[in-house]
Amino acid sequence: MLRTLEITATIALAEAPFHNLYFGHGFELSLDCFICERVGRTTFLTVGAERAVCTGDREHGGRHFAAARVAGFDVLSGEDRKTLHAVVQQWWAPFHDDKRKQSSKPIGPGWVRFELHYLCPEGERKNGRTSIQSNTGRPHSLTCEHCETVLARSEEVPTIVERP
């Protein structure tokens, strides 16, 4: 069965020195993988890639390709916020995860993590990165790892919704 998931994440920009904060073109998503028959696997997705990568587990050979892809990716930037909207397509089939003793679900309480990149204007203009994740507390401040300036705040939990 082909599933389509819509993911939305919004950050409120801080009034800080310009750091050119932007969303990266890859993200991590928790999915049930019918290839290694494990539930809740961290799956790496990259915009433009034909398939994703599942972390798998050592007993099944570790990382492997997964039948998922980014079908849409758009970032809307305003004066005070940035909103990312991604569409993920995943092939899914029912299975039973023997290790966790539970059955797979077409969509579950999964999580998503988006990486954000920036360039610190202080000193040597160093690159930096931070992230937002759906299963962490809110509100959450995103700070520069070089000058400790607050760049943005994650006030809303990123949403994952299955599209019919």
Side-chain angles (χ1 to χ4, degrees):
M1 164 187 353
L2 181 63
R3 299 172 44 202
T4 301
L5 308 174
E6 288 188 17
I7 305 167
T8 304
T10 300
I11 57 170
L13 300 174
E15 291 184 31
F18 185 68
H19 277 69
N20 192 28
L21 183 68
Y22 63 95
F23 283 97
H25 284 99
F27 56 95
E28 298 167 45
L29 182 62
S30 173
L31 294 172
D32 290 357
C33 178
F34 72 87
I35 295 170
C36 62
E37 294 189 343
R38 296 294 312 280
V39 299
R41 304 314 302 159
T42 299
T43 306
F44 298 94
L45 294 121
T46 303
V47 175
E50 293 294 323
R51 54 195 173 185
V53 175
C54 171
T55 53
D57 63 17
R58 287 184 213 130
E59 295 163 10
H60 292 97
R63 291 181 182 226
H64 59 84
F65 290 118
R69 71 182 187 105
V70 180
F73 188 87
D74 188 31
V75 177
L76 301 172
S77 295
E79 274 187 41
D80 63 343
R81 61 182 57 262
K82 287 184 183 274
T83 301
L84 178 143
H85 183 229
V87 176
V88 173
Q89 292 179 323
Q90 178 205 18
W91 282 100
W92 178 85
F95 63 88
H96 184 77
D97 183 334
D98 291 332
K99 189 170 186 176
R100 291 195 176 163
K101 308 228 183 308
Q102 64 188 84
S103 295
S104 64
K105 297 177 185 158
I107 187 164
W111 55 264
V112 64
R113 178 177 27 244
F114 291 104
E115 212 171 70
L116 292 105
H117 302 270
Y118 57 88
L119 178 65
C120 180
E122 299 285 320
E124 298 176 20
R125 302 178 60 89
K126 296 179 182 175
N127 290 321
R129 73 176 106 173
T130 186
S131 65
I132 59 171
Q133 189 166 323
S134 59
N135 61 348
T136 58
R138 296 291 186 288
H140 173 70
S141 293
L142 308 174
T143 58
C144 175
E145 63 189 74
H146 306 294
C147 68
E148 298 183 16
T149 299
V150 174
L151 306 173
R153 287 177 56 82
S154 176
E155 298 169 345
E156 305 168 26
V157 175
T159 60
I160 305 169
V161 178
E162 186 166 12
R163 199 193 296 168

